[in-house]
Amino acid sequence: MNEQGYLRHIHSCNPPITERFIPWLIGDQVVGWLRPWLVEKLDECPNVFDIANESVTLAARLESFDDRSAALADVVEWLAKQELITPPMGESYPVTPAGREAALCIMDRSAAAYFGVRAFGQHLNGFVRKNDGLYMWLGRRARDRLIFPGALDNMVAGGLPWKVSLEENLRKECMEEAGLPENVASQAVPVGLVSYNRVAERGYRPDVLYCYDLELSPEFAPQNTDGEVESFELMPIEEVARLVRETDEFKLNCNLVIIDFLLRHGYIEPQEEEYLDLVIGLRRPLGASLKPAGE
Amino acid sequence: MNEQGYLRHIHSCNPPITERFIPWLIGDQVVGWLRPWLVEKLDECPNVFDIANESVTLAARLESFDDRSAALADVVEWLAKQELITPPMGESYPVTPAGREAALCIMDRSAAAYFGVRAFGQHLNGFVRKNDGLYMWLGRRARDRLIFPGALDNMVAGGLPWKVSLEENLRKECMEEAGLPENVASQAVPVGLVSYNRVAERGYRPDVLYCYDLELSPEFAPQNTDGEVESFELMPIEEVARLVRETDEFKLNCNLVIIDFLLRHGYIEPQEEEYLDLVIGLRRPLGASLKPAGE
């Protein structure tokens, strides 16, 4: 694989998965993927899960959103008590075969990572038009952050808890991370999403990042208020593109958000040999690169 | 399936494929899909094709671009003489496992349709910013056109022959279809692509449409010069969205180009229940929805 170029970041976010995961269904819709040890354990909960040969299905008797959520909360508590999973974080994630709005129930964020359910985030491209071209605001992550300390980041980026609407969460993140007042943040334009599938320590990890563009006045300078960002820098878009192409300075998934920006704004052109792979590769279906059942 | 909504158009462009197609390879890369009758026929060309159980591979002795193209041209002529395929059109299409730039050889456009190779096109969204919002220029296809007579169309749209560069072809189409002078057409921004896979009369049909946005001055009005467009209309973007959602007034694949535009410009919002399916569904990998070999 190339040591340089855009495509390697898409590959890094979607590594080939050799480990076996078992699909987890609600009704006939896949909502997650489980490691075999967890499936064995869930077999001890016969009223909550039906374990078949190559799949795990939430018991059909759990008919409502609340019934399902309550049953899963009990299972999560039971697993955490045995120290098989990390303790609940008290923050809920949607369990869904598609987008957030199609959630069939919720489960604790910490446990969700073991159950291979989709995680949703929001990333914002803050940019400025000057006479000599487009500039992009980038954040430098604080050195004390757990993941990617000191790496470059989108101007605003954050995870999406269940209880908060997309607009509300984006406004909150814009204020906390960049000191963007509400009247500016509300001008952010939703421009699509990137998605990728990988394996993390706790389990299968399908991620969806909603992407936003926000054009800022040349007078505005972002200011961090929550300690997560060490500093901000306004960089010519060509230099941002070069950093993505030639270095690993960015937090891994931010590369994908910026590649999407470069594609949408014509900075990566269709003459590029990798153009198709880039445009198609930025949006991987849930469950992609997993081995089919039985193999 | 819904009679309304955006997603139905993506489904219409990617119908489930029940017919059997056999992958056609150059080296170890799939470049097309063939109907069984064509494979049987190609078995009579042992120096050009190696027919295995579930695949057809171009003979390894054909090492160069030109060798491969020449050998295919002979096969095409031989098939056309037997009236098994329509006569050559004298226009070349790239044969490629990925984008145009990765072409491994060329073959006649008419024959390419039987060999299930990718076809490439360019579609341009012409839009105007007014005080009360965004407007989009749409073309009404001439009533004497072979496909989708009288249907709505993107302002500029056309197929991509092999010998012409993307910029050159777009300029040419902009002039012929909409009377756009070169200095305006050259401001079109490449913004990505949509891709879909269907079955046409002649064979498997994977299409890639490169998409462009072009902001026009409110003073400019497009004028058709080649007789392919009956008239142009400038429509509020909300009305364009409604027509896509609620009607079948557009030439089928134009719906996808406009849905992509609506997504990139924030007119379809991530709160929509179908958002993930729309963003991911607009870009289908080559060969998607085909049955794996041996089934």
Side-chain angles (χ1 to χ4, degrees), chain A residues 98-99 101 118 166-167 189-193 195 208 210 212 263-266 270-271 275-276 279-280 283-285, chain B residues 98-99 101 118 166-167 189-193 195 208 210 212 263-266 270-271 275-276 279-280 283-285:
Chain A
E101 321 295 313
R118 259 187 170 142
L166 287 165
E167 297 96 324
V189 178
V191 292
L193 59 82
S195 59
V208 173
Y210 294 108
Y212 297 81
L263 287 164
R264 286 186 292 99
H265 291 267
Q271 294 81 337
Y275 199 75
L276 263 80
V279 180
I280 296 174
R283 284 152 283 244
R284 301 277 290 161
Chain B
E101 320 296 312
R118 262 189 168 142
L166 286 166
E167 297 96 325
V189 178
V191 292
L193 59 81
S195 58
V208 173
Y210 294 109
Y212 297 81
L263 287 164
R264 286 185 292 100
H265 291 268
Q271 293 83 336
Y275 198 75
L276 262 81
V279 180
I280 295 173
R283 284 152 282 246
R284 301 278 289 160

Side-chain angles (χ1 to χ4, degrees), chain A residues 72-73 75-77 79-81 85-93 106-114 117 119 145-147 159-163 202 205 228:
Chain A
L72 286 174
V75 170
V76 165
E77 201 186 319
L79 290 168
K81 252 189 202 145
I85 65 172
T86 48
M89 296 170 72
E91 188 185 305
S92 294
Y93 264 25
I106 52 173
M107 86 187 293
D108 185 80
R109 175 177 175 175
S110 172
Y114 294 91
V117 311
R145 294 202 70 174
L146 260 181
I147 58 168
L160 255 172
W162 165 244
K163 272 284 177 196
R202 297 184 208 174
R205 179 75 196 252
E228 292 192 358

Side-chain angles (χ1 to χ4, degrees), chain A residues 236-248:
Chain A
I237 193 69
E238 292 77 12
E239 175 63 6
V240 177
R242 189 194 67 79
L243 284 173
V244 171
R245 223 167 40 230
E246 297 182 8
T247 77
D248 294 320

Side-chain angles (χ1 to χ4, degrees), chain B residues 22 42 72 85 87 113 166 218 241 281 295:
Chain B
I22 292 117
L42 297 181
L72 287 174
I85 65 174
L166 286 166
E295 273 190 22

Side-chain angles (χ1 to χ4, degrees), chain A residues 123-137:
Chain A
H123 283 234
L124 182 138
N125 302 294
F127 68 98
V128 176
R129 271 181 225 279
K130 296 194 187 187
N131 288 338
D132 62 342
L134 224 61
Y135 285 67
M136 188 180 260
W137 279 107

Side-chain angles (χ1 to χ4, degrees), chain B residues 131-168:
Chain B
N131 288 337
D132 62 343
L134 222 61
Y135 285 68
M136 187 179 260
W137 278 109
L138 301 177
R140 173 79 63 185
R141 295 165 65 83
R143 309 280 159 174
D144 61 358
R145 294 202 70 173
L146 260 180
I147 58 167
F148 293 97
L152 287 172
D153 204 335
N154 296 113
M155 187 171 102
V156 176
L160 255 171
W162 164 245
K163 272 282 176 196
V164 187
S165 75
L166 286 166
E167 297 96 325
E168 196 182 331

Side-chain angles (χ1 to χ4, degrees), chain B residues 114-293:
Chain B
Y114 294 91
F115 281 75
V117 310
R118 262 189 168 142
F120 296 87
Q122 290 173 301
H123 283 234
L124 181 137
N125 301 294
F127 68 98
V128 176
R129 271 181 223 280
K130 297 195 188 187
N131 288 337
D132 62 343
L134 222 61
Y135 285 68
M136 187 179 260
W137 278 109
L138 301 177
R140 173 79 63 185
R141 295 165 65 83
R143 309 280 159 174
D144 61 358
R145 294 202 70 173
L146 260 180
I147 58 167
F148 293 97
L152 287 172
D153 204 335
N154 296 113
M155 187 171 102
V156 176
L160 255 171
W162 164 245
K163 272 282 176 196
V164 187
S165 75
L166 286 166
E167 297 96 325
E168 196 182 331
N169 194 63
L170 187 66
R171 276 200 301 271
K172 182 180 137 289
E173 294 284 347
C174 279
M175 177 49 80
E176 290 176 1
E177 295 211 346
L180 274 167
E182 195 174 314
N183 64 324
V184 179
S186 66
Q187 284 163 42
V189 178
V191 292
L193 59 81
V194 301
S195 58
Y196 51 91
N197 302 292
R198 60 193 177 86
V199 175
E201 211 180 307
R202 297 185 210 176
Y204 185 65
R205 179 73 196 255
D207 273 350
V208 173
L209 308 181
Y210 294 109
C211 301
Y212 297 81
D213 281 0
L214 177 59
E215 184 169 352
L216 293 159
S217 119
E219 281 75 48
F220 175 81
Q223 274 195 306
N224 181 247
T225 69
D226 65 0
E228 293 192 357
V229 185
E230 179 183 282
S231 61
F232 286 101
E233 194 173 344
L234 186 63
M235 222 180 260
I237 194 69
E238 292 77 11
E239 175 62 6
V240 177
R242 190 193 67 77
L243 284 174
V244 171
R245 223 165 41 230
E246 299 182 6
T247 78
D248 293 321
E249 292 240 357
F250 279 94
K251 174 167 172 275
L252 192 54
N253 60 6
C254 297
N255 288 298
L256 272 50
V257 175
I258 294 174
I259 292 168
D260 178 60
F261 182 93
L262 297 170
L263 287 164
R264 286 185 292 100
H265 291 268
Y267 292 96
I268 300 176
E269 298 195 79
Q271 293 83 336
E272 287 265 344
E273 197 159 323
E274 297 177 334
Y275 198 75
L276 262 81
D277 290 334
L278 289 174
V279 180
I280 295 173
L282 281 179
R283 284 152 282 246
R284 301 278 289 160
L286 180 66
S289 34
L290 283 178
K291 289 191 285 185

